[in-house]
Amino acid sequence: MAADHRPEQARMERLGLGIGWRSEIDLTVERLAGVEFVEVIAENIRPTSLPTSLRVLRERGLPVIPHGVSLGVGGAEPPSAATLAHLAACAQALDAPLVSEHLAFVRAGGVEAGHLLPVPRTRDALKVVAQNVRQAQDALPVPLALENVAAIFGWPEDELTDGQFLGELVELTGVHLLIDVANLYTNQVNLGLPAVQALDDLPLSQLAYVHVAGGEEHGGVWHDTHTASVPEPVLDILAALCARTDPPGVLLEWDDHYPSDDALAAELSRIRAATTRPPT
């Protein structure tokens, strides 16, 4: 039987500084100094045949968090039982402290969007999302953390801010939060939503960990590509978050065009420094 993760939940365990594990940089992740936990895309692994590198990291005592990208708790349809079973199996195989996913709309009527789309921030949508989150929590052996997504558009019927929506969702379900400060920056650039104000709206007491990543600007639109150095404004948002709370973990995402070991180590050093500097 799955554990009850509904209110009230205890604070998450300390994770430290982390990096997203990808098969292309598996040996790099193993030898990077200062890495204290990793995150792996759940859809990219088989629980019954874990990559050797992940087993090495687990044997060293590093927490490994399965991070899902296809559950779609933001849709009108209930989350897939098969996807939930896979996430649960990943958590058990990795002895993970939690599972993370996205507060996103990804499919409708059997058609995949191919992208993590924002959920309409309405009270009707909130009721549906809360029901989907409870179903996911009941199916998982560990706590669930949901990530705020980057957007290039907003729904015209939005009634709540991202922070308000997440805050009410936490009250209804006790779900933990994975706050992506790069996504907050993306929404600030693309939609004019002030990132620091969003931090003030968020229930940071439910913070599980934080994502940090770089992106690229094209034609005035910021794209959260995870393929570049973290821009200073994103680190400024991270510093502002850390001035409000001590996050259990902060993790660098890098998904393509991988740089050298030294460059990744330098990015981790910049992130670590930002967690202790005064906000601008």
Side-chain angles (χ1 to χ4, degrees):
M1 178 181 294
D4 185 0
H5 307 304
R6 298 174 191 175
E8 297 285 337
Q9 290 190 40
R11 183 174 174 83
M12 297 301 298
E13 69 177 66
R14 187 74 185 172
L15 295 168
L17 183 65
I19 189 169
W21 184 93
R22 305 293 184 263
S23 60
E24 296 88 344
I25 55 170
D26 55 354
L27 297 181
T28 293
V29 172
E30 287 181 38
R31 60 183 173 243
L32 274 175
V35 171
E36 297 167 288
F37 79 108
V38 301
E39 175 193 82
V40 59
I41 302 300
E43 286 81 355
N44 290 347
I45 61 171
R46 290 183 295 162
T48 56
S49 182
L50 293 175
T52 300
S53 177
L54 289 181
R55 289 191 276 107
V56 167
L57 294 171
R58 283 298 302 122
E59 288 167 1
R60 292 181 187 171
L62 270 69
V64 180
I65 297 173
H67 182 58
V69 297
S70 63
L71 189 59
V73 297
E77 302 168 358
S80 160
T83 301
L84 286 172
H86 178 73
L87 289 171
C90 287
Q92 291 173 327
L94 294 166
D95 192 23
L98 73 151
V99 166
S100 60
E101 246 288 357
H102 298 82
L103 177 55
F105 171 78
V106 300
R107 72 181 60 83
V111 178
E112 298 288 333
H115 195 72
L116 296 165
L117 299 174
V119 175
R121 295 190 302 271
T122 66
R123 297 199 181 278
D124 285 342
L126 179 63
K127 294 176 185 176
V128 174
V129 172
Q131 182 176 345
N132 289 344
V133 168
R134 292 189 194 102
Q135 183 172 334
Q137 289 172 312
D138 288 341
L140 295 172
V142 294
L144 171 67
L146 288 181
E147 178 182 351
N148 58 303
V149 299
I152 58 173
F153 71 91
W155 296 98
E157 64 267 32
D158 283 349
E159 301 169 355
L160 305 166
T161 67
D162 269 342
Q164 291 167 341
F165 193 96
L166 285 166
E168 294 198 23
L169 183 62
V170 166
E171 289 182 8
L172 291 169
T173 66
V175 72
H176 284 283
L177 298 179
L178 163 52
I179 299 304
D180 190 316
V181 292
N183 289 351
L184 292 179
Y185 175 71
T186 301
N187 295 346
Q188 178 173 280
V189 173
N190 294 344
L191 305 177
L193 302 176
V196 173
Q197 182 178 320
L199 294 177
D200 291 333
D201 287 338
L202 289 166
L204 296 178
S205 62
Q206 287 296 103
L207 185 60
Y209 64 110
V210 177
H211 272 175
V212 183
E216 299 175 1
E217 184 268 334
H218 297 286
V221 176
W222 186 262
H223 298 271
D224 182 49
T225 59
H226 304 173
T227 58
S229 179
V230 180
E232 283 299 320
V234 171
L235 294 179
D236 290 341
I237 299 168
L238 174 62
L241 184 152
C242 292
R244 288 159 171 77
T245 190
D246 181 19
V250 181
L251 182 133
L252 171 66
E253 293 184 289
W254 204 300
D255 288 336
D256 204 354
H257 306 305
Y258 298 102
S260 67
D261 288 17
D262 288 345
L264 284 174
E267 289 296 303
L268 291 174
S269 294
R270 293 176 66 223
I271 292 168
R272 189 186 296 276
T275 65
T276 58
R277 78 185 189 202
T280 57

